[in-house]
Amino acid sequence: GNSVTQMEGPVTLSEEAFLTINCTYTATGYPSLFWYVQYPGEGLQLLLKATKADDKGSNKGFEATYRKETTSFHLEKGSVQVSDSAVYFCALFYNQGGKLIFGQGTELSVKP
Amino acid sequence: GAVVSQHPSRVICKSGTSVKIECRSLDFQATTMFWYRQFPKKSLMLMATSNEGSKATYEQGVEKDKFLINHASLTLSTLTVTSAHPEDSSFYICSARDSNSRNQPQHFGDGTRLSIL
């Protein structure tokens, strides 16, 4: 079946460090891929997306590239800030049915 | 942008009480809404898909008599946790599908923290 796997957290970084959160997926066909962010006590916000192979999604300094050959959608940011501390979810989506399939989430903690 | 309002944001009540959570799409019509449950430090677990004007579709292992879902209009879905017990304490999040949006498959509410004493 379709599934998403993320790297285990928590990830703890110092401010201005480089961030990578790995995400791989198993899916048939051509899903869209998303990264969502959840700040403490809140719901999910869309961070970025990619709808086809080789697309790069980017937002707020974060970026991820849809790699069909490696079935990956790793999240990266060149210089993290304390305000980036949150839980990040990778997800895949098929338009038919409308369901999002989430990874387990990766908690990021950025220290000053 | 599209907004989903979830209410209440937090509820604390005694064991045996039934609790209703509302999910509203404020500026778009949502024929489909989703209800998720999130345990501490865990991912979102899809509980059910709520379809306007018809019965909800529950995921395997979710008790439909325990978690009643009603989607009576294109902008409102409700989740009622019946006879809640401490093990039902959790963070519940709804989302709504905007079929006219090409950017986001679902818009999420801010969640409801349910604590059963």
Side-chain angles (χ1 to χ4, degrees):
Chain A
N2 301 320
S3 66
V4 177
T5 302
Q6 293 179 230
M7 64 187 287
E8 290 275 341
V11 173
T12 302
L13 296 173
S14 297
E15 207 165 21
E16 298 184 5
F18 184 86
L19 169 71
T20 299
I21 300 178
N22 290 337
C23 170
T24 56
Y25 66 91
T26 302
T28 55
Y30 305 96
S32 297
L33 299 174
F34 296 83
W35 276 100
Y36 284 86
V37 58
Q38 184 181 32
Y39 298 101
E42 298 183 11
L44 271 67
Q45 299 176 27
L46 177 64
L47 181 59
L48 54 85
K49 68 166 188 170
T51 57
K52 61 183 187 297
D54 300 325
D55 266 4
K56 178 186 282 189
S58 61
N59 185 26
K60 299 180 181 179
F62 291 90
E63 59 181 35
T65 301
Y66 189 158
R67 301 282 190 202
K68 193 164 177 64
E69 65 276 13
T70 54
T71 62
S72 65
F73 193 54
H74 304 322
L75 182 68
E76 297 181 337
K77 186 174 185 181
S79 176
V80 294
Q81 306 300 312
V82 172
S83 57
D84 294 327
S85 298
V87 180
Y88 292 81
F89 292 93
C90 185
L92 67 83
F93 174 79
Y94 289 99
N95 195 52
Q96 186 177 11
K99 288 185 183 180
L100 280 162
I101 298 172
F102 287 96
Q104 69 269 41
T106 303
E107 182 180 1
L108 170 66
S109 178
V110 180
K111 306 296 185 186
Chain B
V3 177
V4 172
S5 173
Q6 189 172 339
H7 178 80
S9 59
R10 185 177 184 94
V11 58
I12 302 171
C13 57
K14 294 181 179 180
S15 186
T17 306
S18 291
V19 179
K20 180 185 282 188
I21 303 170
E22 293 186 347
C23 182
R24 295 181 184 271
S25 57
L26 296 186
D27 52 359
F28 65 98
Q29 294 184 331
T31 56
T32 304
M33 292 185 174
F34 301 88
W35 288 96
Y36 296 86
R37 182 173 180 176
Q38 187 178 30
F39 293 97
K41 308 290 186 183
K42 298 291 185 183
S43 187
L44 284 79
M45 180 191 79
L46 179 64
M47 299 174 66
T49 302
S50 170
N51 302 297
E52 187 268 335
S54 65
K55 291 183 178 180
T57 303
Y58 290 82
E59 296 298 306
Q60 192 172 11
V62 178
E63 298 177 63
K64 60 182 179 182
D65 295 330
K66 174 75 170 177
F67 299 99
L68 300 178
I69 292 172
N70 183 276
H71 193 158
S73 79
L74 287 171
T75 59
L76 174 64
S77 175
T78 60
L79 168 68
T80 301
V81 183
T82 61
S83 187
H85 289 93
E87 59 266 27
D88 299 322
S89 299
S90 196
F91 193 56
Y92 293 86
I93 304 175
C94 74
S95 70
R97 184 175 184 193
D98 180 0
S99 57
N100 292 321
S101 172
R102 302 186 66 178
N103 293 320
Q104 289 200 52
Q106 296 177 23
H107 301 278
F108 288 84
D110 282 338
T112 297
R113 173 75 59 194
L114 176 61
S115 300
I116 308 298
L117 305 177

